[in-house]
Amino acid sequence: VPINFTEKDTSRQFSAELRLASTGDAPLQWIAGAFYASLRSAFIDTNEAIALGSLPAFAANSPNGIVYDANNPYKIDQFAIFGEGSYAFANHIKVTAGARYFSYKSQVNEWQNGLAANTGTEVPVTPSFSASAHGISPKINVAWEPTGNYTMYAQIAKGFRPGGFNLPLPSSCAVSKETYDPDTSWDYEVGEKARLADGRLTINADYYYIKWRNVQQAMNQGCGYTMTQNMGDATSSGPEVEINALLVPEVRLALGGAINHTSFSSINADLLALANSSLITIPSAILNVPKYTFSSSLSWQHPLEHNRRLMARLSDSWVGPSNDISFARTTLPAYHLTALRVGVHTDIWSVTGFMNNIFDKRVALSTNTTAFDWVIPSLTRVATNQPRTIGLEADYRF
């Protein structure tokens, strides 16, 4: 029978940050600040077949033919304070230490009704879930700066990502867990920064090793819906290189690339049990992490009168293949996007015109998780990037 299906996903976000920083060239430098963000969103869908309401088998439970209607308002408020200080010793050693205290609270109300809802009737259910967490993310960096043109450093830093909620699913997906916890990472990094040929050439390189705990990742269930869970622990490592060269006066070439080796080191035992019972499928690789990335840009800067500068920048970013999942694991192909920026700058203000995705490419950023791939398997349906956009931006420094 004909089914009326609609889907609406709206969101709005406000964020603000205040920073105070030291000035001058004293051995001690510092920065401190506070951050706040508030996100409100709602996922609303209707799935109704009026003809079903007239059938005896369904009339008692859903006389209006409601198959599955849902309204899921979500909110999260985040707050953080942070501080960092560095001290340059006389022996060319510079030590930087800092920390960030974070706190968040989130809530989702999961209103649903219909034949496929947990009640199986038009009487709605209104479960509500909330989550919160707080903690401290520290950082320490030790750098050796024998000259003003060369630096070697080692750094340890911790990262954090809030947890979240899965949308309510029909009762046939009893495996689905409503919430998932935050995940954290520790980054261990060594690198160098070099300025050569009187500043005309810079070469920055590093190697990082990341220990990632409680990885948030999507997996698919036998009922056809995906859910996000804390899959387990993982490691990530690889080199990064950036090269910036002044080819001729006013023209600079920048190149950058990275190789990323990411894999699971352990899997959540509870999820392994569900996978062995064929209720869920666990991806064998970390999703949406390309092994190779590369970027390049060509910049031109020309002086004008009254301390103004005419600037133009053509850039291109290339992202290698990665993995994703809907009903089955999919390999997303590599892609590259090109952008152009042209503007006038001074030390106080700037006006810049931009064009992103110049060639208006549609690239595969993820598989389509809103289609029932278990009914009609298709791994070619994808969500795509933002189309070509043209705009103007201005900046003024008080």
Side-chain angles (χ1 to χ4, degrees):
V1 296
I3 293 180
N4 174 39
F5 181 85
T6 65
E7 180 177 304
K8 184 178 182 181
D9 187 358
T10 62
S11 65
R12 70 180 189 273
Q13 178 169 297
F14 171 82
S15 61
E17 184 170 291
L18 174 67
R19 293 191 178 199
L20 299 174
S22 60
T23 59
D25 55 1
L28 177 63
Q29 299 289 318
W30 56 268
I31 185 172
F35 169 82
Y36 172 77
S38 176
L39 170 68
R40 300 292 186 270
S41 67
F43 181 82
I44 304 171
D45 68 58
T46 60
N47 193 338
E48 302 173 355
I50 304 301
L52 291 179
S54 62
L55 301 179
F58 302 107
N61 291 329
S62 184
N64 294 307
I66 298 176
V67 179
Y68 187 81
D69 287 358
N71 185 345
N72 306 289
Y74 168 77
K75 65 179 181 179
I76 179 171
D77 294 304
Q78 300 183 69
F79 172 75
I81 55 175
F82 55 88
E84 180 178 291
S86 65
Y87 191 87
F89 295 89
N91 58 357
H92 306 295
I93 299 293
K94 184 177 181 180
V95 178
T96 302
R100 181 183 185 93
Y101 170 82
F102 59 86
S103 174
Y104 81 89
K105 294 181 179 179
S106 57
Q107 180 179 332
V108 63
N109 299 316
E110 299 188 345
W111 183 96
Q112 56 172 288
N113 72 334
L115 295 169
N118 288 328
T119 60
T121 70
E122 293 187 5
V123 177
V125 293
T126 57
S128 179
F129 300 90
S130 61
S132 62
H134 64 274
I136 296 177
S137 295
K139 165 190 168 182
I140 185 167
N141 180 297
V142 179
W144 177 53
E145 302 174 348
T147 70
N149 294 320
Y150 187 72
T151 300
M152 293 185 64
Y153 71 91
Q155 176 173 286
I156 300 175
K158 185 180 181 182
F160 167 87
R161 180 168 55 172
F165 307 95
N166 290 299
L167 288 176
L169 297 178
S171 56
S172 58
C173 282
V175 177
S176 178
K177 184 181 177 183
E178 297 289 348
T179 64
Y180 51 92
D181 297 327
D183 54 358
T184 59
S185 65
W186 278 98
D187 171 49
Y188 305 88
E189 182 178 327
V190 293
E192 62 79 31
K193 300 177 184 293
R195 185 165 54 233
L196 310 171
D198 296 326
R200 295 191 300 272
L201 175 66
T202 61
I203 302 176
N204 303 329
D206 70 73
Y207 190 91
Y208 63 89
Y209 176 80
I210 296 175
K211 296 187 70 175
W212 191 359
R213 298 197 61 187
N214 290 328
V215 179
Q216 298 175 13
Q217 181 155 296
M219 63 191 71
N220 63 304
Q221 305 179 80
C223 62
Y225 287 93
T226 59
M227 66 174 176
T228 299
Q229 288 299 301
N230 298 101
M231 286 277 293
D233 298 340
T235 60
S236 178
S237 62
E240 299 173 309
V241 178
E242 296 176 346
I243 300 174
N244 192 303
L246 183 65
L247 301 181
V248 296
E250 302 182 1
V251 178
R252 281 191 173 273
L253 173 67
L255 303 172
I259 301 174
N260 186 301
H261 300 277
T262 303
S263 61
F264 283 107
S265 55
S266 64
I267 300 295
N268 185 321
D270 294 337
L271 296 179
L272 278 178
L274 293 174
N276 292 335
S277 63
S278 301
L279 294 175
I280 62 170
T281 301
I282 294 179
S284 58
I286 299 287
L287 300 179
N288 306 111
V289 178
K291 186 175 182 179
Y292 304 103
T293 56
F294 180 78
S295 64
S296 61
S297 68
L298 197 63
S299 303
W300 174 64
Q301 179 173 303
H302 180 72
L304 302 174
E305 295 180 346
H306 307 296
N307 199 31
R308 299 171 183 172
R309 303 180 301 277
L310 177 63
M311 304 181 70
R313 184 174 186 268
L314 181 66
S315 62
D316 187 90
S317 60
W318 180 86
V319 178
S322 62
N323 295 289
D324 201 8
I325 193 170
S326 53
F327 179 69
R329 189 183 69 83
T330 308
T331 298
L332 303 177
Y335 66 90
H336 70 93
L337 299 173
T338 307
L340 175 67
R341 299 175 65 85
V342 179
V344 176
H345 292 231
T346 72
D347 294 335
I348 299 177
W349 58 266
S350 66
V351 177
T352 305
F354 62 88
M355 180 185 295
N356 295 327
N357 193 5
I358 292 177
F359 302 107
D360 202 23
K361 287 190 174 182
R362 298 295 188 271
V363 300
L365 299 181
S366 68
T367 58
N368 186 348
T369 57
T370 63
F372 291 101
D373 286 346
W374 51 274
V375 176
I376 306 175
S378 174
L379 303 182
T380 59
R381 293 194 295 268
V382 296
T384 60
N385 61 298
Q386 187 180 37
R388 178 172 55 221
T389 56
I390 301 173
L392 184 72
E393 62 185 28
D395 179 77
Y396 187 86
R397 300 168 184 85
F398 294 95

